[in-house]
Amino acid sequence: MLDGDATLREAELQYGPFGCATVKPYSRTQWAADGSSLLKVYTGVDPEGRRHREVETVRRAAHWGLSVPEVLATGKCDAGSWSVFRTLPGVPCDVRTDRAIEEYIGHVLGLAHRLHRSSPGLAPGPGWTQDRGSHALQHHFLLAQLSPRCRQRPWWAALADSLHPLESQPVVYLHGDLKPEHLLLDEHQLSVVDWEASARGPAVVDYTDVAFHLVRDLLYAGVKPGGVPIDLMTWLPFSGPVLAWRMLLWLDRRRPQDIDLVVTRDILRLAAEDHASAGYASLARAISALRTASVPR
């Protein structure tokens, strides 16, 4: 592993030069001038933990035969925790039409058969390597991702109770962020990038994340709630409690006041929903109202 400012400069000389940075809430990325590599600096929440998690998971996923970015260099310096990855061919999945969304969901389902492995003694937690961050129970792992302030909200106890049935589901390896831009397609294969949210937990967490991103991103792109292709999304395994949790996780990571905009009865109704089509319709209405209230995407 490379460490320190000198090794980052060494990596920039070997794999760069890197261009202008693209800044996201939790990372800063720069492409090499020749497009062959990508420098990623982790920022915000637990940058060092996310760096370790992504590097370790990518290496294991490559061993499984998945097409993932090769880790060229990684380390920590005054600028922050960072990694350099080799870029992969392909273009991100498109979700601008129903046909494209259908293909994207098909890719997710096909990938899940290779990705969602379980093994004896596998415990829920962040990353694919069990450590002191592991949790004995699946619902504890999900609730631990919400900030402590959420425990004071009127919906907390009911949400926690609704997540208990997850204990009957196997613990599997998760990508944690299978949104369209993280699945790259070319003529020969499907590649998967951005593994920093990798985890171990119930498979429905990955599927719910896909559905959440589809609904939220379509609505923020100007699609009306009635225009969201819910019939296609019902191909994904569904959990009302996990869908409610995923919406709250989004709000919890936005502006401090945004978590207070959610209506408790809507959370409880969504968590109690057994039918995917009704659940996704409820999610669309809730996110549309939050968008109107100026919650940032």
Side-chain angles (χ1 to χ4, degrees):
M1 181 189 302
L2 299 174
D3 279 308
D5 293 295
T7 49
L8 177 55
R9 289 194 295 271
E10 180 182 329
E12 290 176 327
L13 288 172
Q14 183 173 359
Y15 302 112
F18 296 104
C20 296
T22 299
V23 179
K24 295 184 178 181
Y26 299 105
S27 67
R28 185 174 72 252
T29 56
Q30 296 171 260
W31 292 86
D34 64 1
S36 64
S37 63
L38 175 73
L39 170 64
K40 180 176 185 178
V41 178
Y42 304 84
T43 61
V45 179
D46 188 24
E48 182 66 358
R50 286 163 44 226
R51 174 178 76 92
H52 279 293
R53 183 156 60 244
E54 182 161 31
V55 168
E56 292 176 2
T57 300
V58 161
R59 288 171 173 164
R60 181 177 292 192
H63 181 70
W64 286 3
L66 296 174
S67 178
V68 297
E70 178 187 357
V71 181
L72 299 174
T74 185
K76 183 181 180 182
C77 66
D78 290 345
S81 299
W82 57 272
S83 297
V84 178
F85 298 98
R86 190 181 305 282
T87 56
L88 293 168
V91 295
C93 285
D94 182 15
V95 292
R96 289 175 293 181
T97 66
D98 285 2
R99 173 66 176 174
I101 292 172
E102 181 179 348
E103 292 178 352
Y104 163 58
I105 291 175
H107 290 306
V108 167
L109 293 171
L111 174 64
H113 288 299
R114 303 176 62 197
L115 174 64
H116 290 159
R117 306 184 184 191
S118 187
S119 60
L122 190 64
W128 284 10
T129 303
Q130 294 191 181
D131 53 23
R132 64 175 180 267
S134 300
H135 295 259
L137 299 173
Q138 308 239 49
H139 73 283
H140 286 170
F141 164 56
L142 296 186
L143 292 172
Q145 296 180 52
L146 297 169
S147 66
R149 62 182 178 153
C150 291
R151 295 180 178 273
Q152 309 304 318
R153 297 304 189 270
W155 42 260
W156 176 266
L159 177 67
D161 287 343
S162 73
L163 291 168
H164 272 280
L166 294 176
E167 307 313 322
S168 65
Q169 299 185 20
V171 179
V172 303
Y173 294 99
L174 305 169
H175 178 276
D177 199 10
L178 288 174
K179 52 190 176 185
E181 56 263 42
H182 294 162
L183 274 61
L184 306 180
L185 298 166
D186 72 359
E187 295 179 0
H188 307 291
Q189 65 185 358
L190 172 70
S191 300
V192 189
V193 301
D194 207 325
W195 291 80
E196 66 179 76
S198 61
R200 292 156 283 121
V204 73
V205 169
D206 263 349
Y207 296 122
T208 300
D209 193 64
V210 168
F212 172 81
H213 279 297
L214 274 173
V215 172
R216 185 199 64 182
D217 294 350
L218 288 171
L219 292 173
Y220 274 73
V223 174
K224 301 297 183 184
V228 175
I230 289 173
D231 56 330
L232 299 177
M233 294 165 54
T234 58
W235 296 358
L236 299 165
F238 172 78
S239 167
V242 177
L243 193 62
W245 165 83
R246 185 60 185 84
M247 185 174 75
L248 289 167
L249 185 67
W250 168 60
L251 287 172
D252 192 32
R253 294 179 177 178
R254 294 302 175 271
R255 302 170 305 184
Q257 68 271 26
D258 288 337
I259 195 72
D260 295 319
L261 294 173
V262 70
V263 179
T264 299
R265 65 174 178 275
D266 288 342
I267 291 297
L268 301 184
R269 185 182 302 117
L270 185 56
E273 187 56 68
D274 292 326
H275 301 287
S277 56
Y280 296 140
S282 294
L283 177 69
R285 290 191 295 270
I287 292 180
S288 180
L290 291 165
R291 178 175 181 259
T292 300
S294 300
V295 174
R297 175 179 172 274

